[in-house]
Amino acid sequence: MIKTEKVLHLKSSRGRKVRVVREHYLREHVPCFSCLCQADCANDGKVLSGDATHYVVPDACVVRDFLEILEFRELRGIIFTQTACLAVQHSRGRRQYNRLRSLLKDPRHDCVLFANEFQEYSYCPREKGETQDKWQTRCVYHAAVWYHNHLAGLTPVVMITEDRATVAEYSSLNAGVFVISTQEYLQTFCPEMQAAQELYCSISQALQEKESEGAEREYTEHLPAEVLEAGIKSGRYIQGTLNVNKHRSQHEAFIRLEGSTNKNAELNSDVFVCGSKNRNRAVHGDMVALELLPKSEWRGRTTALANEPTEEKSGDEMRSQPMPTGRVVGILQRNWRDYVVTFPPREETQSQSRNSQRILVTPWDQRIPKIRISTQQADALQDFRVVVRLDSWESTSVYPNGHSVRVLGRAGELETEIQTILLENSIHVSPFSEAQLREMPVNSMESPWGVDPVELGKRMDLRNTHLVFSIDPLGCEDVDDTLSVRTLPGGDRLELGVHIADVTHFVKEGSLTDLEARARATTYYLADRRYDMLPAVLSADLCSLLGGMDRYAMSVIWELDRRTLDVNRVWYGRTLIRSSYQLHYELAQALLNGEEAEVQELAHLAPGERDAKLAQLTQALETLTHLARHLRAQRDIGGALELEGVEVRAQLDEERNITALVPRQPLEVHETVAECMIYANHWVARKIQESFPQQALLRHHPPPRQEFFNQLIDSAKARGFTIDTRSNKALADSLDQAVDPQDPLVNRMLRVMATQAMSNALYFSTGSCSQDQYYHYGLALDSYTHFTSPIRRYADIIVHRLLTAAVNLDKGLEPSKPSANNKELEEMAHQVNNKNRAAQQAQKLSTELFQCLYFKDKDPQTDKRCVADAVIYSIRANGMLVFIPLYGLKGAVYLKNREGQVVSVRSGGSCEWQSGSIQRYLDHISTTCSSGTSTFNLFDHITVCISVQPSRCHSDTLHLEVISNRPHRTVEAQNPLSQAQARGRSQLVEEVVRLAEVASQQAQEKATRAPKLSKEEREFRQSKIPNLYSLLEEVRELALLDLSPCGGLGTGAQVLATSA
């Protein structure tokens, strides 16, 4: 080891230049991480593959500016030098540096990090007068030469750079090391990578024109990082995340406060940021530092509905009470991502590009400002969605600068719009790689999978002792959970079992499949498809607890007192099960109701035996229902909430055309299954928390902020009800009492408002929170986790591993591998939380897309399906928000248009537009014109006409117009919760059931042979069942994130999940 010195020139907090001399140690033996190594380097971890034809060493400039290109998996044998990585860290910030670190850690990318500055023969001290860029280039070149010599010339080494002088200086110095430009490398070595070459051109053009902005400042400069840090510590500045109101994106944004950084006692809500100047180049999602304005400059949010997202008014009319208002003084962390944009019409493009090829494109996400990009293809891309990335936003530029990445597809096409939704939520689901699929077990007609005798000896065999069955949505393939219940000998004890797919037996920690599952974090369910977290051979076959198949499971089994249902004993462990019945919800409910129902598994039996087994199954279902009612009652005593979410299924035909929109029909069996799953999750949480008090993955639900209940309280008061929100128990009791015998929808809408007030339930590591923060507000449980869906949730896989470790600990066995520490577990929890939010938002946007597609080809003037009953649930300054029970839709109804006309009601109840005025009150809104005054009250039923409002740059939206102030039909006929509709469904629902039964019969015909995966299942990870949307589990995360669905709501209202 050789000791030397390294001189650094840094800046102090006051801006002075400081010369720092540090000790620097050089070593002869530094790992090369190449499988071609002949020197026996200690190459632990990821190494470069042996099938790379050459190694690539990018210089610091290439890594800094063209990292996106180096992320292509087709590029192999990439060596990132320590010099280049440090250059990225110092010049591009933490986000870009973390992106580079993630790339190096990812085993799917053939790249490594070489510590060239610690290698004795590759280290280059900086010479006097040498610029930093020249020194970094020299360091990278010497590292490339060292690699060539170290590997004895076994493979060529190519250094790529953007500096022509570097190519001229170094290209002829060493015969085995080639120095070429990045563009030449892509054209010569990767001619088939057209996407990478186009991306290179786009980035290069953006870099060349980066400095072409005018010198006049459009925004104030951001404060230095050290000033921001000191200001936040002192309380002068506030740290938070910028959230832009998508309905008024030009004028309204809010800073969601970071609780630990708020030292201002006056702040108990979000801070308002009014106008783009005060936003100071911050983009939605950025972490910013905010300075509060004087109270005299505080403003209120707009209470009116936004007429057009692209035509906003910035006046002061119709505003709420002034709220804390501030301006952005600095950016703490940019959270930029890929954005989908649309090019402007040809006439606008021509006017923009007289002097250059710089075009302003409009993002699909209305919260993102227009982006200036450089392109020569503006005319050719008129009708396409294009992916762009932001590069910079200088204070002299009105708009941020970016570059195009790739073309997504033609706007308006279904596949393009689906891919837009995925990309806008940062969801990337490329097909599983060959390497990942090679890790999968084989199950085919030629080589069927079977139970391993060794594994059988480690498990409790329940195949011949327990009646195990599953209850899922019709057509479900990824069966995570099964149940069992029986009376133990003596008759005074019951045994309840919850048996969950043992995914961790097949997915080993650290494997490629595990890393991919961790990256996805969840299965993504959309209206017409799903993207599985795990390969189909696991999710739809070997891990799916299908009827009649031997399967590995993780089980929780309780011994209960038959009379009191108290727990005498609980057992956790691995089991082997064979599900006797694969029931769907409607069939299970029919059996409970004593209705005539056909169970496919019993169809081949003789009548006597069939009746006996059917009675046994029905008895098990009844016992399970009795247990679930008891469990629910116990949680009700503690304050569990019964919230309401709007779930709609899009019924598709074989060509993926929408035939109907059907709201979910609630059944008691849904709650029965949910209670059993909640019970298992709670007991597993207790177990892993007890075994690993500092590193268990749990799920908590913080109490909502009281101001979020204002709409609920005011709406209930208008109907004569009092809502107590001091605790979850008080809220639950108040909601139970707020029932209108004449209109059951009133209680349902109040529960929807309560749902919107909730915060999100989140995963966390027990070592990062105090125990009083473990509480789950919605479920009224002191500890909770997710254990019951490991096929579709990565959090459950983590919990399964923790439970296995806890069971082994009880047996006195040492863990085979150290478990993740608190910091690592908290990072995983953060990743899973983000992906869950993205999945929920994508599902919501997908449903909205198909709702628009359903109405798009219908004439609202003639098609009766475009006219429906709606109930008013919120009053705004220029209209109201309504809920349409028939389709499960929520939207805005305007009573005043942009011409200043208001809705006037005729004597027969029909409506027309007339000149007049509008007046808003707490519980109603009135319009006055020459023909008189018309009033719309909260919870009134009105008739609306539904049409589609197309958008060229954004997603299409539904437009609701009031055509009568009277109900379209009787409330009972429209209310999906009414007993009448529960007994006799509408024609739409009957059609859904008929198609689903056909799908079920087809599935049963295939059940007699081993499951064979289709091409779609293998390649695209999606089901081929006609009713694909029915794969959504009926009891799931409640209430998708729904921030102010119609404007003026700000960013406060959020929702949570019942199954949490």
Side-chain angles (χ1 to χ4, degrees), residues 115-294:
N116 64 302
E117 295 191 16
F118 292 107
Q119 217 295 325
E120 179 181 350
Y121 303 113
S122 67
Y123 173 68
C124 298
R126 187 171 175 179
E127 297 176 355
K128 187 174 182 179
E130 186 177 29
T131 65
Q132 186 171 1
D133 288 344
K134 287 287 187 183
W135 171 70
Q136 289 173 344
T137 300
R138 191 161 58 88
C139 287
V140 174
Y141 177 74
H142 276 75
V145 172
W146 180 89
Y147 254 94
H148 180 262
N149 296 334
H150 179 74
L151 300 178
L154 291 176
T155 187
V157 178
V158 181
M159 174 181 168
I160 56 176
T161 180
E162 284 298 290
D163 185 12
R164 294 181 180 179
T166 299
V167 175
E169 180 179 354
Y170 293 108
S171 59
S172 59
L173 293 184
N174 194 301
V177 179
F178 304 90
V179 182
I180 60 177
S181 69
T182 310
Q183 185 175 26
E184 183 183 356
Y185 174 78
L186 291 173
Q187 292 173 347
T188 305
F189 290 85
C190 313
E192 74 286 351
M193 293 179 59
Q194 193 64 32
Q197 295 180 38
E198 292 175 357
L199 179 57
Y200 172 83
C201 294
S202 178
I203 297 175
S204 298
Q205 206 167 6
L207 291 173
Q208 290 171 9
E209 299 189 6
K210 183 177 179 181
E211 303 299 329
S212 63
E213 295 287 345
E216 183 179 352
R217 286 185 181 175
E218 299 290 341
Y219 300 94
T220 58
E221 292 289 350
H222 294 146
L223 297 178
E226 56 270 15
V227 176
L228 296 177
E229 183 179 355
I232 291 172
K233 287 183 178 179
S234 67
R236 178 178 179 180
Y237 303 134
I238 300 166
Q239 175 179 332
T241 303
L242 183 77
N243 287 270
V244 177
N245 182 350
K246 70 177 181 180
H247 302 286
R248 302 184 184 278
S249 58
Q250 297 295 318
H251 304 289
E252 292 190 359
F254 302 86
I255 301 296
R256 184 159 302 148
L257 302 180
E258 301 288 322
S260 59
T261 64
N262 178 21
K263 297 187 177 182
N264 192 322
E266 295 181 352
L267 297 181
N268 57 5
S269 64
D270 295 343
V271 179
F272 185 42
V273 181
C274 185
S276 58
K277 291 295 184 181
N278 285 332
R279 210 177 297 172
N280 195 8
R281 295 172 286 149
V283 177
H284 175 79
D286 285 350
M287 182 74 73
V288 302
L290 184 83
E291 181 180 45
L292 278 181
L293 297 176

Side-chain angles (χ1 to χ4, degrees), residues 379-397:
D379 289 341
L381 297 176
Q382 282 292 305
D383 300 321
F384 290 84
R385 304 267 195 226
V386 180
V387 181
V388 304
R389 288 174 184 155
L390 294 181
D391 296 320
S392 63
W393 195 348
E394 306 299 332
S395 61
T396 56
S397 174

Side-chain angles (χ1 to χ4, degrees), residues 475-628:
C476 181
E477 294 174 341
D478 51 347
V479 181
D480 288 289
D481 53 87
T482 55
L483 298 161
S484 67
V485 62
R486 63 175 183 165
T487 301
L488 295 176
D492 58 346
R493 292 169 300 151
L494 290 176
E495 183 187 85
L496 170 65
V498 173
H499 315 285
I500 307 301
D502 190 0
V503 172
T504 56
H505 171 79
F506 298 98
V507 181
K508 303 302 181 184
E509 187 171 4
S511 65
L512 294 178
T513 307
D514 181 55
L515 294 173
E516 181 67 26
R518 181 187 302 183
R520 300 189 183 200
T522 183
T523 290
Y524 300 101
Y525 291 96
L526 304 184
D528 68 330
R529 68 191 71 183
R530 79 171 189 258
Y531 293 94
D532 289 336
M533 184 182 74
L534 299 172
V537 68
L538 296 183
S539 62
D541 190 3
L542 296 182
C543 285
S544 186
L545 306 180
L546 303 172
M549 300 288 183
D550 291 348
R551 291 292 182 259
Y552 296 146
M554 284 286 290
S555 299
V556 184
I557 300 175
W558 298 267
E559 181 185 295
L560 308 171
D561 183 280
R562 188 178 185 87
R563 186 178 60 84
T564 64
L565 299 182
D566 292 337
V567 177
N568 296 332
R569 189 175 67 92
V570 60
W571 180 88
Y572 308 89
R574 283 183 149 147
T575 56
L576 178 61
I577 67 168
R578 182 186 299 139
S579 177
S580 299
Y581 302 99
Q582 193 172 339
L583 308 176
H584 57 84
Y585 287 116
E586 291 75 14
L587 175 58
Q589 190 65 54
L591 292 174
L592 285 168
N593 295 342
E595 299 172 7
E596 192 71 27
E598 182 179 354
V599 180
Q600 290 293 329
E601 291 85 349
L602 303 179
H604 66 283
L605 299 179
E609 186 179 1
R610 181 172 62 245
D611 293 344
K613 287 188 174 293
L614 185 60
Q616 181 189 29
L617 174 60
T618 304
Q619 178 62 44
L621 290 172
E622 291 173 349
T623 304
L624 204 62
T625 303
H626 172 66
L627 280 169

Side-chain angles (χ1 to χ4, degrees), residues 54-75:
H54 61 277
Y55 287 162
V56 187
V57 184
D59 78 352
C61 178
V62 174
V63 178
R64 184 181 62 230
D65 295 332
F66 295 91
L67 181 61
E68 298 168 46
I69 294 176
L70 301 176
E71 289 176 328
F72 278 78
R73 294 188 192 178
E74 293 87 343
L75 294 178

Side-chain angles (χ1 to χ4, degrees), residues 26 41 79 111 179-180 263 300 308 371 475 515 534 577 589 678 734 758 795 820 835 917 930 943 1013 1034:
L26 303 177
C41 288
I79 300 169
C111 60
V179 182
I180 60 177
K263 297 187 177 182
E308 291 286 347
I371 302 170
L515 294 173
L534 299 172
I577 67 168
Q589 190 65 54
I678 291 171
S734 300
M758 296 294 154
K835 289 297 183 180
S917 61
S930 58
T943 301
L1013 303 178
E1034 297 291 351

